[in-house]
Every structure is written in C-alpha cells, then in structure tokens.
Amino acid sequence: MAAMNPDAVARAFVDHYYTTFDVNRAGLGSLYQEGSMLTFEGQQVLGSQNIAAKLAALPFGQCQHKVSTVDCQPSGPPGAVLVFVSGALKLSGEQHELKFSQMFHLVPTPHGSFYVANDIFRLNYG
Amino acid sequence: MAAMNPDAVARAFVDHYYTTFDVNRAGLGSLYQEGSMLTFEGQQVLGSQNIAAKLAALPFGQCQHKVSTVDCQPSGPPGAVLVFVSGALKLSGEQHELKFSQMFHLVPTPHGSFYVANDIFRLNYG
C-alpha cells in the first residue's frame, strides 16, 4: 500500500471512514492509535480509546455522510497524507443536512496500512 | 518561538496570514518554501513562487476574511502544527459573504519561525 499515490490513499480512506461511520460507528476506533488526536467542534480528545468513546457518545444515532470534495497532499513522514473533506451530514429524522469540513492526517503503519494521527471536524453553519 | 504552544502559534499565524492576504496579498509568498503545496478549490500548485503567482491571479481584488473558528493540533516534525480554519470571505462590491474552510501545516524553520508546508482551501457552497 506504500506505493499507492496520495489521491488513491485519500479516496480509499474517505470511502472507508464514512461508510464505517454510518453503518458501524464503533469500528472507527481501530483507525486511530494511542497518540491520535481528534478535535470535534472544538473539543480535543486524545488516544484511540477516548476517540472511539467520543464518537460513540455523539448526540445523534443513525446518520449519513455525503462527501462533496476530497483534497489531499503528501505531508510529514514518508507516505503520510493530509486529507481535507467537505460534505453534508444527514441525521436520521432530520430534514436539513448539516454541512461539514474535516481533515485527517494519515500516517503509514509498519504493516502497510494507515492510521489517523490527526482528525479535526467542524460543522459549517450557514 | 519553538517554545510557543500550538494554540499560540496557530492564532498568531492565522491573524498574520489573513491580515496579509487582505492588505498586501503579495506578501504571502514569503510564508511558503520551495516544497510547499497549495490546493485552491481543487487546483494544485507547488512551490512559493507558483503559489504567490496563483494567489495574485485570483479573480478578485480587495477582500476581507472573517475568521470564525481556529482549531490546531501538533503534527509531523517536532514543533509543527496543523491549523484548521473556518470563516467567511467578503469580496469588494459583493453583498454576500462566501463561507470557506482552510487548513495549513506549519513547519518550524531553523530560524525560529514557521513556514507553510501545506495549504488546502475550499469554499463551502451553501
């Protein structure tokens, strides 16, 4: 997977991340590691366990992410990729979609995969 | 400046960046280096000279950025900071503001300052 170009890594990750979020949110925890950081609407959370707990405790159940744009750039350690996403979030039972922006810093693991070292999420209030 | 915490670095950078953008856009070029990358509305630009040229050639003159949120996390090389901004952009002569999101990866220089290694900008169409 180290030979994949950043665009392919970003696309594959974004597909996997939001599908997992929408159908099996508890599965997201394994994408993070001990030193991973999440900033969700300004709240900072450190480490995969705390991040998984934070995502599980978000005040909405079923939801659906629609991705509008995915930008990426190589950055940091060799093979690492910055991913910048814009999209909309539809909550179950709600009419309106919420626009969001999110960035991830993906860092390669020794096993040929990637983990999320950094994750920052913001709703874009209109 | 290496002793500054990431929040202080992010705040100082964001103030400096958007003030410079709004009053002296040509001055932004010096914030980037040879290997810096800008992705502006999906268009990729490499290197400080090309980035400065891209910013100078944007299809609007005077503008005003209003920053709504600034999030940051340490990332990558020691002292490096990821900065995630949301805000609004008001173009001269236009009534409406354009919402935007932007991220920067700031990397320390040997001289105790920071340069922009990565910059991704997107308008948030509502």
Side-chain angles (χ1 to χ4, degrees), chain B residues 54-99:
Chain B
K54 171 68 181 173
L55 295 174
L58 291 176
F60 52 87
Q62 189 129 25
C63 63
Q64 194 184 350
H65 290 80
K66 295 182 193 170
V67 171
S68 301
T69 64
V70 178
D71 295 307
C72 70
Q73 293 180 359
S75 175
V81 182
L82 286 169
V83 183
F84 188 86
V85 181
S86 71
L89 177 62
K90 195 170 184 316
L91 307 185
S92 180
E94 297 279 339
Q95 297 254 341
H96 296 296
E97 293 181 338
L98 304 166
K99 303 274 182 189

Side-chain angles (χ1 to χ4, degrees), chain A residues 6-17 67-72 83:
Chain A
D7 285 303
V9 171
R11 285 276 166 194
F13 170 77
V14 165
D15 283 351
H16 178 65
Y17 183 88
V67 172
S68 302
T69 64
V70 179
D71 296 306
C72 69
V83 183

Side-chain angles (χ1 to χ4, degrees), chain A residues 1 4-18 67 69-74 79-85 104-106 114, chain B residues 44 120:
Chain A
M1 200 147 166
M4 283 176 77
N5 72 55
D7 285 303
V9 171
R11 285 276 166 194
F13 170 77
V14 165
D15 283 351
H16 178 65
Y17 183 88
Y18 294 111
V67 172
T69 64
V70 179
D71 296 306
C72 69
Q73 293 180 358
V81 181
L82 287 169
V83 183
F84 188 87
V85 180
F104 303 94
H105 197 189
L106 307 182
F114 290 85
Chain B
Q44 296 195 21
I120 302 180

